Amino acid sequence: MQDMTGKNSANGGLRERKKRATRAALAEAAVRLAAEHGADNVTVEAISAAAGVSVRTFFNYFDSRDDAFVVIDADASVRVRQALLEAPADLTPLDALREALAAELTEAERQHELWSLHAEVLRNSPHLLVRSLGAHMADEAGLAETIARRISGTAADRADVPPDEGGPGERGRALDLYPRLLAAVAGAAVRVSVQHWCDRQDELAFADVFREVFALLAAGLPAPER
Amino acid sequence: MQDMTGKNSANGGLRERKKRATRAALAEAAVRLAAEHGADNVTVEAISAAAGVSVRTFFNYFDSRDDAFVVIDADASVRVRQALLEAPADLTPLDALREALAAELTEAERQHELWSLHAEVLRNSPHLLVRSLGAHMADEAGLAETIARRISGTAADRADVPPDEGGPGERGRALDLYPRLLAAVAGAAVRVSVQHWCDRQDELAFADVFREVFALLAAGLPAPER
DNA sequence: ATGAAAAAATGCAGGCTCTGCAAAATTGGC
DNA sequence: GCCAATTTTGCAGAGCCTGCATTTTTTCAT
């Protein structure tokens, strides 16, 4: 190793890694317990115990108990935005976004078991489903800004995606209509694709559903034939 | 009066009216208090006191404190769906939905003051914004079914919209991809329109923004010119 | 390595949220 | 006015969540 300081070179030091691990452990414990006993019957105490930390520490990682059931992969949106900026310049915004999302979704299928459990938990408690839907859309602002950057397309803008500074605090950017609309519609597309695919899991491949949805969008949502 | 029973003919008796009034009073009190003191600093006790009922009664009307800030007009979605079924048969699904939503939105501007307060509350607490976004999308399932009915378009289907039976309990219908996608995209369109209009309230008329958004959708979200 | 500084985990006190249950008040129909 | 149905209310208790002080762990310079 060429790192004499003891600080890890890979991803930011042992501190960061431990935090990620703790957070992941809490989220996974929450989902597994909820899948087994029902989300309402899972206390913060139980989640914390399963993850091996104190109750107080749980609240250092999540703002509320429900967040542990809802927030799956906090880094997913960052990866999508990065992929969007790095996509070939000759793709239309809609196509570039489709490819970026497709890559992320096939990536997500690697942890298929946890996703299934997660879906089951949300199915069984509408309360959490609503929160989850809302959480997904909270990313939209950031995605819209990235779309705007891709469209404007200057070289300087190709720099790294800034770490998510959270919340609607920063205004003044991404006020354009088109990027926002595209971000919102893409979110809707993902959601509908997953939903439709879940209902007919045996019949269809997810990739096909996903492509059909984006084809409908690109065609301007024409009335279906009968 | 030609009603000798004492039971009110208009909308279902005094009991119903009182419940509506109580619910509205609670919701309005919640929004006004939140606008003044910040949503986090408003207790259920304060809301209940302002509405003149007990704390326990508050929880007979809302499942959680936050719901009082989030649920605005529970009947709006029913009106939209009714309008959608009654729209001229020669409109495309996208156009019919646009008109139905436009009617509802101009209707909503009548209570403009409360809506402004409501928007301010959500702006100041992202936590509630997330919940609100999620709540709006919970209607999507119902809207998708109505769209499916309009498309299939038999005479029998033109009957009244059944009272919202709540939740994902009834499956088996509206499994088609297109209605779901249209419902989801329309929801996104409304959201983006409102958002964009709020940012540039002085410059633009809402109706214009709304039309532009649907024009973009109908055109297949082409890359904007530069 | 060692000690000081920074960051994170923990325990605890206390207020608020939410639910189940039973009693009291209100409404509708006779 | 009186009975039945519905709604409101108080109360107890469990659980959620926060602020603060303390302890433990990690980082960094010496």
Side-chain angles (χ1 to χ4, degrees), chain A residues 121-146:
Chain A
V121 171
L122 295 187
R123 244 199 322 278
N124 292 336
S125 38
H127 168 246
L128 292 178
L129 180 61
V130 168
R131 283 189 75 118
S132 178
L133 294 177
H136 275 223
M137 301 200 319
D139 292 337
E140 266 183 32
L143 183 57
E145 188 186 353
T146 302

Side-chain angles (χ1 to χ4, degrees), chain A residues 23-214:
Chain A
R23 187 184 184 87
L26 283 169
E28 182 166 340
V31 169
R32 290 195 186 281
L33 287 172
E36 185 172 4
H37 304 112
D40 294 335
N41 302 320
V42 177
T43 66
V44 173
E45 191 177 355
I47 299 171
S48 307
V53 297
S54 72
V55 172
R56 190 62 185 79
T57 296
F58 174 95
F59 286 107
N60 287 341
Y61 283 89
F62 297 96
D63 284 342
S64 75
R65 186 192 65 143
D66 289 351
D67 279 357
F69 301 125
V70 164
V71 178
I72 341 92
D73 186 350
D75 304 330
S77 72
V78 174
R79 286 194 296 271
V80 169
R81 286 158 67 177
Q82 189 72 45
L84 189 57
L85 290 179
E86 290 168 354
D90 59 343
L91 290 180
T92 68
L94 185 63
D95 289 335
L97 187 49
R98 184 195 60 211
E99 292 307 314
L101 290 172
E104 182 62 30
L105 287 172
T106 59
E107 167 69 22
E109 280 199 277
R110 209 156 295 176
Q111 301 169 323
H112 190 279
E113 188 233 355
L114 216 90
W115 268 75
S116 294
L117 283 182
H118 194 264
E120 183 188 338
V121 171
L122 295 187
R123 244 199 322 278
N124 292 336
S125 38
H127 168 246
L128 292 178
L129 180 61
V130 168
R131 283 189 75 118
S132 178
L133 294 177
H136 275 223
M137 301 200 319
D139 292 337
E140 266 183 32
L143 183 57
E145 188 186 353
T146 302
I147 293 173
R149 268 211 258 170
R150 180 187 165 86
I151 292 175
S152 77
T154 69
D157 289 336
R158 301 274 168 141
D160 287 29
V161 178
D164 196 13
E165 301 211 347
E170 47 164 335
R171 295 195 195 89
R173 221 179 290 265
L175 291 178
D176 290 337
L177 183 58
Y178 181 84
R180 279 185 173 174
L181 181 59
L182 185 50
V185 168
V190 170
R191 200 155 31 77
V192 170
S193 298
V194 171
Q195 201 175 10
H196 188 73
W197 173 69
C198 281
D199 286 338
R200 317 200 154 176
Q201 201 159 354
D202 299 333
E203 311 168 37
L204 304 168
F206 179 76
D208 292 336
V209 176
F210 194 67
R211 278 175 211 295
E212 185 177 351
V213 164
F214 272 81

Side-chain angles (χ1 to χ4, degrees), chain A residues 123-124 199, chain B residues 167-175 180:
Chain A
R123 244 199 322 278
N124 292 336
D199 286 338
Chain B
E170 46 166 334
R171 296 195 194 89
R173 218 180 291 265
L175 290 177
R180 278 184 174 175

